[in-house]
Each structure stands twice: as structure tokens, then as C-alpha cells.
Amino acid sequence: MADSSDFRLSPLPLWAASAETRALRACLGPQLRFVGGCVRDALAGLVPNDLDLAGPDRPEAVMAKLEAAGLKAIATGLAHGTVTAIVRGRRFEITTLRRDVATDGRHATVEFTDDWRLDAARRDFTINALSMDADGAVFDYFGGRDDLAAGRVRFVGDAATRIAEDYLRVLRLFRFHARFGRGPLDAAALAACAAAADRLQNLSAERVHSELFGILAGPKATAMLDAMRDAGLFAFWLPELESTAPLARLLAVAGQARARVDAILALASLLSATDVAAVAARLRLSRAETARLQALCAPAVRLDPASDERQRRAAFYRLGDDPAAHVLLQWSQASDAPGFAARYEAALAWVRPKFPLSGEDARRAGFEPGPAMGAWLKAREEEWIEAGCP
């Protein structure tokens, strides 16, 4: 279906004018447009992580054209019209224009179309409903450019309807507002999210994990978490959250140290050691995430910023491979902060040494493999640690 644009992005972003993009367009035709986040990011002056495109061709036709041109095609999700193309090592996700004909809050049944407006109408937020052609013409059916400029994150059409189509959009509202919003959250959107709070428990843990970690590690984390808690959105997924003040203190000292706070470190600031098992199970944390969260919430040693060099080296060794994260967290929890800044710089430079004795050394000392050898090595390692890991 033909439509028109009243705005052109000039000059074109480098990724939109690249040789890979030109090769893809030569294969699939001029009707192909970039859609969603990459267009939004281009308008915001950002470099996108993913390049998504859409067009009227059915997925089978897209696959055939790509293969005829000698380009790698992956049938990512044919039922939903999605094909992944790899052009000179660069990935492009191409989706057939579609509209939702049935939704259950988690999955949608779609029908293919050639109507760009219908395709845009099924998206979550106005800032994500933009598309752009090869010449930089931007197509905006729901005021997304104005919302982006004003710092508004607004659902396409009725907020409650969009949320009922996919309840994960509740969490996405806060993640996108943290990144692109200015001022308070959209009132209609916030009210619709609060009304859907009890439906969030029907979401998969993996999807909640991804969105929640994006919020925890993103800008305005404390403000977004406060708003989510006040709206009753953590009743099922994170009932342990009582106050974001510990995270605010962590972010303050991280700012002082010019350090980045990732999602696990942020979560650790909000939990106690006894919370970890329940949260890890509920959010389906990986083994590595669970182990790191447990180590941060129940550290092997409490740091003393006034300790000498030997004590510092011993403490860092006991804290594992990432003592800098421990320093930040314990710094934020300390009532008396002097000394932690120097400890953080030392932790950044720390390279964990390897314990210099092995089983061969134990055999030379007269031990056969078994518990006695293990106990001897453990005792020697403790002596070595207490000596400052010489």
C-alpha cells in the first residue's frame, strides 16, 4: 500500500548506506524499509545494536531471493514472517508486514499484509513504530518523532489494549522511559500497567529476566524501580524489594569512582544473602549469575579500607576474580567511606595470583592423592593467603 513521508533523514546513517545494506536492497527490492529501533536510534543520534527491516514479500519469497543472490538466509520464524539474512558477516532481520489477528498476552497469531500502517499499529510504542526507506524518508503514523523529541514514551493507541496483547510491554515501558523519556511517565500508560500487575506472573521468567536486567543496569534505575514498586509490579517477581535507597548509594559511589554498575551488582545491593536462592530460582538466573550474586551478597570477607598491603592482597584474593565490584558494594554500605576510593583503584589493577603449590608438590612432601593431600594443600594455601599471596 502506498503512503508518503514528510521527513527525510539526511545524511543517511553509515549503517543505512553501507555496502551490506545496498547488497540486501539490490536483492530484495526498493520496497524494503528499516523499522523500529534502528530508525528510532538514528533520529536520536545513536548507533543501533540491531538492524531490522520489513517489506511486503512473504518469508518464503524473501528466502528464495536471498538464496538466489548467494546470500545466507536463516528461517528464524517463518510462521511470524521473520528471516535472518547474513551479508558479509552482518546480520539483518527481515519481517513480512503483518497484523495481529489473535493475542493471549504472550503470543500472537499474525496475518501478512502489504499495509505499512497496519504493521506499525501492532507495535508497542510510538517511538518504535517508525520506518525509513533507502533514501532516508521516515514514515511516522502515530507521532513517534514528536514523542521522541519531547521525551515521551507512549503506547500506540490505547495503552490497555497494547498491554493485553503482550504483558511484557509493562516492563518495556519502564526500560524505554529510562532510556528515552524525560519528566514523569505517561499517566495513561502507568495506570494501564498498574491495572495489569497481576498478569505479569504469567510471563516467562526468561523474558522478565531480560527486561528487568535492562532496567537494573540502565539509566534512572532507582526512579524506574520505585515507580514499578509503587504500581505493584514486583508482587510476584521481586517481592524482596523494599527500598531502592541501597542502590541509590551504590550508584552514587560508582559515579564518584567512574564505574559502571551492571545488573547483578545492582540487584545485589537490593537483596540480602537469604534472598538469593529464591530470586535466582524465580528469575531463572544462570549458574554463573547465581554464584556471583551469592558472592556479592555474602562476601568471603569484609574489606577494611585502613588495612595494610598484606591484608589487602589477602582480602582481594578471598573475594575472587572481581574484587572491584565488592569494593563498590561495600563502599556504598559503609558508614565511614574514607579509604574506599584508593581500595577501588587497587582492585581495578588487581590480577589474582595463582597458588604456587600443586599436587606434585604434595607428593614430594610425602602425600598420596586423597583427603590428606587436599587438607595439606588447603592449609598451605591459607598460610600463603594470610602472608599476602607472595
Side-chain angles (χ1 to χ4, degrees):
M1 177 175 290
D3 54 8
S4 61
S5 165
D6 63 356
F7 177 80
R8 190 174 301 278
L9 187 62
S10 181
L12 276 176
L14 293 178
W15 50 264
S18 69
E20 295 83 3
T21 298
R22 293 197 303 272
L24 191 66
R25 288 191 180 280
C27 170
L28 297 179
Q31 72 274 24
L32 204 64
R33 294 183 195 169
F34 285 101
V35 294
C38 60
V39 183
R40 175 204 65 218
D41 289 353
L43 292 171
L46 304 172
V47 177
N49 293 321
D50 303 308
L51 297 179
D52 297 337
L53 300 100
D57 283 346
R58 300 302 191 259
E60 295 81 5
V62 172
M63 292 278 293
K65 289 181 178 181
L66 290 170
E67 290 168 355
L71 301 177
K72 185 173 182 180
I74 303 170
T76 311
L78 293 185
H80 288 83
T82 303
V83 173
T84 298
I86 300 179
V87 185
R88 300 175 188 174
R90 190 163 202 171
R91 297 174 70 90
F92 299 85
E93 191 167 280
I94 305 153
T95 303
T96 303
L97 297 178
R98 57 195 180 176
R99 69 182 187 91
D100 293 342
V101 294
T103 59
D104 62 3
R106 294 180 66 185
H107 309 288
T109 301
V110 303
E111 179 179 86
F112 298 137
T113 180
D114 61 357
D115 189 322
W116 284 96
R117 185 183 180 90
L118 283 179
D119 184 83
R122 68 180 298 276
R123 299 181 184 274
D124 49 10
F125 308 113
T126 61
I127 62 173
N128 293 338
L130 301 158
S131 58
M132 183 182 77
D133 70 11
D135 299 319
V138 175
F139 299 81
D140 179 10
Y141 305 98
F142 302 105
R145 280 200 303 119
D146 288 343
D147 285 341
L148 187 63
R152 287 189 299 265
V153 180
R154 186 170 56 88
F155 283 102
V156 173
D158 178 66
T161 301
R162 293 285 82 77
I163 289 171
E165 292 167 349
D166 183 353
Y167 291 107
L168 193 69
R169 288 171 173 172
V170 169
L171 302 184
R172 286 171 64 84
L173 171 72
F174 296 91
R175 180 165 65 84
F176 278 101
H177 184 85
R179 188 177 181 199
F180 296 103
R182 296 194 298 276
L185 285 141
D186 180 77
L190 187 57
C193 289
D198 62 340
R199 308 304 296 272
L200 297 188
Q201 62 185 292
N202 297 325
L203 294 170
S204 72
E206 291 79 7
R207 297 180 81 200
V208 172
H209 177 173
S210 177
E211 291 295 330
L212 181 58
F213 272 40
I215 295 167
L216 284 166
K220 308 175 190 172
T222 54
M224 294 302 97
L225 292 174
D226 282 336
M228 294 169 73
R229 184 197 57 209
D230 293 346
L233 304 182
F234 288 136
F236 178 78
W237 289 105
L238 202 60
E240 295 83 1
L241 178 61
E242 296 181 357
S243 169
T244 59
L247 177 55
R249 292 194 295 271
L250 173 63
L251 292 173
V253 300
Q256 184 176 336
R258 298 182 180 178
R260 176 180 171 271
V261 173
D262 62 31
I264 290 291
L265 181 54
L267 190 58
S269 74
L270 300 169
L271 301 177
S272 70
T274 57
D275 296 330
V276 172
V279 170
R282 204 180 300 124
L283 293 175
R284 302 275 180 87
L285 301 189
S286 68
R287 288 184 180 179
E289 289 172 332
T290 302
R292 183 161 180 254
L293 186 62
Q294 184 65 60
L296 288 167
C297 290
V301 64
R302 301 298 300 185
L303 292 163
D304 179 0
S307 59
D308 61 24
E309 178 68 11
R310 177 189 63 78
Q311 293 168 325
R312 178 185 67 77
R313 291 177 60 83
F316 282 1
Y317 184 86
R318 294 186 190 282
L319 289 173
D321 294 327
D322 189 13
H326 286 274
V327 174
L328 285 176
L329 191 57
Q330 294 186 35
W331 184 359
S332 72
Q333 297 165 345
S335 57
D336 186 15
F340 274 103
R343 283 291 173 261
Y344 179 71
E345 292 299 323
L348 285 179
W350 168 257
V351 177
R352 195 169 194 256
K354 182 179 179 181
F355 177 51
L357 298 185
S358 67
E360 183 59 36
D361 296 302
R363 279 192 291 273
R364 284 198 293 268
F367 291 92
E368 295 296 326
M373 176 187 283
W376 183 83
L377 285 169
K378 182 64 177 174
R380 300 293 79 71
E381 183 180 23
E382 286 297 319
E383 293 171 355
W384 175 74
I385 294 170
E386 285 301 314
C389 310

